[in-house]
Amino acid sequence: MRADPTLPHHRLPSADLDELSCGEGGPATVDLLLAAERSRRLLLLRMLDDATDLGPAWDLLSAVQRRAPEVVDELLMYPQTGMWLATALRRLRGSEPQDDPPLWVVLGHVSSLAAAAALRAELDFSIEIPMRHGRVPLPTLGCAELPATEPWTTATVRGEGGRAVVVAPGAEVAVPTPPDAPAPGWHPLRRLTLGPANHRLELALDDVDPYRTYPRPTEPRPLSEDATEQWRRLLERAWAVLLDEQPRTAEAMRRGLLSLTPGPARERFRPRSVTAGDAFGGIESSEPDDHVQLAVTLIHEFQHTKLGGLLHLTPLLTPDTTEAPELWYAPWRDDPRPLDGLMQGIYAFVGIARFWRTHRLASGAATPLAHFEFALWRAHVTTALRQVHRHERLTPVGAQLLDRLYALCTRWLDEPVPDAPLALARMCAADHATRWRSHHLRPPEPAVRETTRAWLSGAASPPRSLAATPEVATDDSARWLDTLAVLTRHRLTGEDTEKAAATVTAALRADALLAAGEAEAAQEAYLSHLLTTPDHPTAWSGLAQSLALTGTSPTAAHFLRHHPERARAVFRSLTTATGTPPDPIDLATWLAT
């Protein structure tokens, strides 16, 4: 009987695929994704060894593997190792910018990994590793800091009997034993243990590994003790919320959430977070406004982590053979997105909508803001899904995933939400879509010119040519399209929106009035803004929403909500032709005929 020459490969059972297709996935499913990720990283490491000589680092890693294989496994599966492997291979292939750090520093990071592994395995060793602006990171352990006169040079790490020193010309730093405590010249990698004994989350708060930021590496920036303690408190409270309200997801996170890279705080209600498919288990996050926002961030990025793991096993889309990729409206972005990017966002924001669906019903959390968030995100995700859930490029797995998410979100649309936050969520959802259209859709130029002539000649209605499908043309100036939603959050937390507008980037006074419910004043403010700034794209959206609320001109309101790009283009053309802008409401009413 001949042996089967087929190499073993990872399979995702149908039950686990079903879980992931609904935006979920328990601990067992995450374990399968982790096992596949381990194999992938071993392959990447072998590819790197084949492409370049890893020399003494490879020998030292091999020695650790023989003595303490669990140490090599943990280092291999650390998110930042995955990011480094992918970065190194892209640099070797020339598919990533060849700027700082130099290639030898990138490739030399394998020596840092080997030194960390050997120290943890208590081997005796000596190895030269890169020093970056005076800092010498030892992955999963911490970072030594020494004087340096050059940005990129080397240091030597020597280990004996489980103790190590980092040596550079004229300086030496002893790595403390154990290495998780601060010491002169040493910044430890802080490892947090969160939650009760039977539901603990063990998480690295990584502020020192150069590959902790995605998609580009950055140099170590150790946190102060006060900042570390603040992150610990926020994470403790966020974890308590997830254990109470999302217990199955929390159990999965205990397996698949390995590190969090802390970043500085941002504008209120505008956090930043990111993951990378190459860094399974790692999250980068700005300091949150509060623990609930942090819980949402963990959900959001863990969704990306799971989908990234699935994509390493099976494609969701067939290759795009067109010359220019299709671009789509993503209600959580300022820019148009390709199909694969839109699917990533859909999967992540289904998780956010699910969080708010549960959180708004939790004891003490049934606030207008929580109801607003659920209503807003279920609307946004459903809008995105309606565009693409039967797209021709979907593979069978991709079609199953989007069909099930679409069915889930449409069921959520039937769930009751109090009238006031529901109305605000609908207004903000419509406003974001209208702002996006104003920026990124372009009516045909000949049609705009023809329409301009028709208006100036007193025609009863615009030419049909203006109704042609507009072109999606990315406007790089499109920023802060979530402004009305941000101001609405300020309102729902009891703040004066006009005062808050001073802290909200890109907010107009008219936006603050609209968020406060002062529709008539907002309408006048938007009209005034358009007449003094004729090319302002997002004021058209605010005018549409305020007109809908005041009932001043239902025809103009409907037209501007659905076709602001036509009004903007013709308005701009008329202003250029005559030197005087027309009345925006009169123009929109005429364009709607």
Side-chain angles (χ1 to χ4, degrees), residues 427 431 435 484 498 508-532 538-558 560 571 582-586 588-589:
M427 178 179 71
D431 180 73
R435 288 178 184 237
L484 186 61
E498 287 203 67
L508 303 176
R509 177 175 176 271
D511 295 329
L513 292 167
L514 182 58
E518 299 178 35
E520 291 184 1
Q523 178 180 314
E524 291 304 313
Y526 282 122
L527 286 169
S528 176
H529 192 81
L530 283 169
L531 293 174
T532 56
T538 55
W540 289 102
S541 176
L543 180 60
Q545 315 315 321
S546 57
L547 285 171
L549 290 173
T550 62
T552 301
S553 177
T555 300
H558 184 271
L560 290 177
F571 186 81
D583 182 276
I585 298 177
D586 288 346
T589 303

Side-chain angles (χ1 to χ4, degrees), residues 287-336:
E287 183 180 329
D289 299 341
D290 55 37
H291 69 285
V292 174
Q293 188 182 85
L294 182 54
V296 173
T297 294
L298 296 179
I299 289 283
H300 175 184
E301 299 303 341
F302 193 59
Q303 289 290 101
H304 281 305
T305 294
K306 290 185 296 183
L307 189 62
L310 177 61
L311 285 167
H312 287 162
L313 289 171
T314 183
L316 303 181
L317 296 169
T318 59
D320 187 356
T321 59
T322 59
E323 291 185 8
E326 290 181 288
L327 295 175
W328 301 88
Y329 170 54
W332 39 84
R333 296 277 302 209
D334 293 330
D335 56 335

Side-chain angles (χ1 to χ4, degrees), residues 38-307:
R38 179 181 181 275
S39 294
R40 179 176 179 273
R41 292 194 187 172
L42 286 169
L43 288 171
L44 292 177
L45 188 59
R46 171 53 68 188
M47 290 169 63
L48 188 61
D49 184 49
D50 289 343
T52 186
D53 180 13
L54 299 183
W58 186 264
D59 295 337
L60 187 55
L61 280 171
S62 298
V64 177
Q65 175 70 22
R66 289 189 293 271
R67 178 165 178 171
E70 70 282 357
V71 169
V72 175
D73 256 13
E74 186 177 335
L75 266 169
L76 183 70
M77 292 306 296
Y78 193 57
Q80 281 57 285
T81 302
M83 197 71 224
W84 163 71
L85 280 166
T87 300
L89 286 167
R90 285 193 291 265
R91 285 289 297 269
L92 282 171
R93 293 171 177 173
S95 58
E96 190 162 286
Q98 302 294 309
D99 53 6
D100 286 349
L103 179 59
W104 71 264
V105 172
V106 175
L107 297 178
H109 188 72
V110 69
S111 298
S112 302
L113 288 164
L119 177 56
R120 292 176 58 181
E122 299 186 357
L123 291 180
D124 294 347
F125 69 96
S126 178
I127 191 168
E128 190 175 81
I129 67 175
M131 183 160 66
R132 315 166 68 101
H133 298 271
R135 293 191 172 105
V136 181
L138 293 177
T140 72
L141 295 177
C143 176
E145 188 165 7
L146 302 96
T149 58
E150 300 178 35
W152 313 111
T153 184
T154 60
T156 300
V157 182
R158 300 192 186 102
E160 184 176 353
R163 295 179 178 274
V165 292
V166 183
V167 181
E172 180 177 300
V173 170
V175 179
T177 306
D180 57 359
W186 177 254
H187 302 285
L189 174 69
R190 296 174 175 90
R191 292 187 176 274
L192 307 182
T193 301
L194 311 170
N198 55 337
H199 296 292
R200 282 180 178 162
L201 174 66
E202 295 182 357
L203 183 70
L205 189 66
D206 197 337
D207 54 355
V208 292
D209 194 298
Y211 295 94
R212 73 197 183 283
T213 52
Y214 317 130
R216 302 295 302 280
T218 54
E219 299 315 308
R221 294 190 181 92
L223 291 175
S224 68
E225 291 302 317
D226 287 345
T228 300
E229 187 55 34
Q230 171 69 356
W231 273 99
R232 185 191 303 274
R233 286 193 296 266
L234 287 165
L235 282 162
E236 282 278 12
R237 296 185 67 191
W239 185 241
V241 168
L242 294 176
L243 283 176
D244 184 50
E245 299 173 17
Q246 306 271 327
R248 183 166 173 77
T249 296
E251 285 301 307
M253 281 185 181
R254 291 181 63 207
R255 301 292 220 292
L257 183 55
L258 306 176
S259 77
L260 185 145
T261 298
R266 288 165 55 94
E267 193 174 297
R268 192 171 179 211
F269 298 120
R270 281 175 167 161
R272 175 187 180 273
S273 62
V274 63
T275 53
D278 294 317
F280 189 104
I283 291 175
E284 182 185 353
S285 173
S286 60
E287 183 180 329
D289 299 341
D290 55 37
H291 69 285
V292 174
Q293 188 182 85
L294 182 54
V296 173
T297 294
L298 296 179
I299 289 283
H300 175 184
E301 299 303 341
F302 193 59
Q303 289 290 101
H304 281 305
T305 294
K306 290 185 296 183
L307 189 62

Side-chain angles (χ1 to χ4, degrees), residues 339-551:
L339 185 53
D340 56 347
L342 181 62
M343 290 181 69
Q344 280 279 357
I346 286 170
Y347 200 78
F349 283 94
V350 164
I352 288 180
R354 179 184 283 113
F355 172 86
W356 287 111
R357 176 177 179 263
T358 304
H359 186 68
R360 73 194 185 106
L361 303 177
S363 175
T367 63
L369 179 61
H371 289 300
F372 167 83
E373 298 288 6
F374 171 59
L376 179 67
W377 292 115
R378 72 178 181 181
H380 277 337
V381 175
T382 306
T383 294
L385 280 162
R386 282 174 175 157
Q387 297 178 97
V388 298
H389 83 284
R390 296 289 173 84
H391 197 280
E392 61 185 9
R393 283 185 56 208
L394 291 168
T395 65
V397 173
Q400 173 183 320
L401 183 141
L402 289 194
D403 280 346
R404 293 190 177 180
L405 295 182
Y406 184 65
L408 178 69
C409 289
T410 51
R411 288 198 301 272
W412 287 347
L413 290 176
D414 294 331
E415 296 187 9
V417 173
D419 290 344
L422 177 61
L424 289 171
R426 287 174 172 169
M427 178 179 71
C428 290
D431 180 73
H432 190 282
T434 307
R435 288 178 184 237
W436 187 91
R437 291 185 67 97
S438 294
H439 273 285
H440 300 297
L441 297 190
R442 300 285 185 275
E445 282 296 330
V448 173
R449 292 193 294 269
E450 185 182 3
T451 305
T452 300
R453 291 193 295 270
W455 169 273
L456 293 175
S457 68
S461 59
R464 292 183 178 180
S465 59
L466 192 65
T469 301
E471 174 191 5
V472 179
T474 300
D475 178 0
D476 292 333
S477 72
R479 300 288 304 278
W480 319 113
L481 303 190
D482 63 345
T483 293
L484 186 61
V486 170
L487 287 166
T488 299
R489 292 181 178 106
H490 281 280
R491 170 186 172 178
L492 291 173
T493 51
E495 299 176 52
D496 182 291
T497 57
E498 287 203 67
K499 290 181 179 179
T503 68
V504 177
T505 303
L508 303 176
R509 177 175 176 271
D511 295 329
L513 292 167
L514 182 58
E518 299 178 35
E520 291 184 1
Q523 178 180 314
E524 291 304 313
Y526 282 122
L527 286 169
S528 176
H529 192 81
L530 283 169
L531 293 174
T532 56
T533 314
D535 199 37
H536 196 283
T538 55
W540 289 102
S541 176
L543 180 60
Q545 315 315 321
S546 57
L547 285 171
L549 290 173
T550 62

